[in-house]
Amino acid sequence: QEPPGEEPGGNKYVLITQNRWMKGLLEQAADIADSHASVLIEGESGTGKELFARFIHLHSKRKDKPFVAVNCSALPETLLESEILGHEKGSFTGAVARKKGKFELAHEGTLLLDEISEMAFALQSKLLRVLQEKEVDRIGGDRPIPVDVRVIATTNREIEKLLKAGKFREDLFFRLNVVSFRLPPLRERREDIPVLA
């Protein structure tokens, strides 16, 4: 068995650390990797949230299935909806062909929703429905498509503040926050600086 921080099969996505706290988090991540529970990873930018998510995927039974990532802060709401749910040909201007969404592409694998706190409120309700029903409705589609996906979400913001401000759905938060991790910034694990350098 690989020690925490080393990936099976010499994978290039390696989370390098010699910090005791971080190693403890990796051990916990390996322990929960095989569950179907959604995971929420919190931490400042640059703390390794996506690497941590890949670590969970690579230590799970889904490791040979797709790991699909979507950056929720990089696209406007309409495009993000199409990216996540997919669309049918002709469902809107520019939809020249049918497109599978990220949920379909991640079927039987893991979907990383990076910076979930940046997702528009209206789209959050559609995401909640996918998590509850385990099926997606493509934009312009006429039937739901079943999906089997383990969802991992990340955020660099304090979601509790967004909940209080009414900018993030509480029911979606509870769906995503089944297992949670808060990654320490590098300034709190200074012994990692020489190894990373």
Side-chain angles (χ1 to χ4, degrees), residues 39-188:
V39 177
L40 180 65
I41 305 170
E42 298 178 85
E44 297 176 16
S45 295
T47 50
K49 296 186 293 295
E50 182 171 344
L51 287 175
F52 199 87
R54 286 182 182 274
F55 178 90
I56 294 171
H57 173 73
L58 290 166
H59 284 78
S60 74
K61 292 173 183 173
R62 298 174 183 263
K63 65 185 176 187
D64 296 322
K65 301 296 181 179
F67 177 94
V68 178
V70 57
N71 187 333
C72 299
S73 66
L75 296 169
E77 180 182 351
T78 49
L79 283 179
L80 183 59
E81 181 178 0
S82 173
E83 277 293 303
I84 292 175
L85 304 178
H87 62 253
E88 295 293 342
K89 180 179 179 179
S91 55
F92 55 85
T93 305
V96 294
R98 170 188 285 176
K99 178 182 178 178
K100 288 184 177 181
K102 299 297 189 187
F103 268 98
E104 286 182 79
L105 295 174
H107 183 60
E108 296 185 333
T110 302
L111 175 63
L112 172 65
L113 296 171
D114 198 20
E115 304 307 346
I116 187 75
S117 50
E118 304 302 317
M119 181 179 284
F121 198 83
L123 187 50
Q124 291 175 26
S125 60
K126 295 180 181 181
L127 173 60
L128 178 65
R129 187 186 178 283
V130 176
L131 296 177
Q132 288 173 334
E133 305 300 327
K134 301 189 187 311
E135 58 186 28
V136 293
D137 290 299
R138 288 189 195 138
I139 299 170
D142 56 4
R143 62 181 176 85
I145 299 156
V147 287
D148 170 19
V149 174
R150 204 268 183 82
V151 173
I152 300 178
T154 74
T155 180
N156 62 6
R157 300 177 68 185
E158 293 184 38
I159 286 198
E160 288 78 6
K161 289 182 179 178
L162 298 176
L163 291 169
K164 288 177 183 175
K167 294 181 178 178
F168 199 85
R169 291 183 63 106
E170 193 170 350
D171 44 8
L172 177 58
F173 173 72
F174 285 119
R175 277 277 171 184
L176 295 171
N177 194 39
V178 180
V179 179
S180 62
F181 295 93
R182 185 180 295 273
L183 303 191
L186 194 56
R187 65 179 176 275
E188 293 178 13

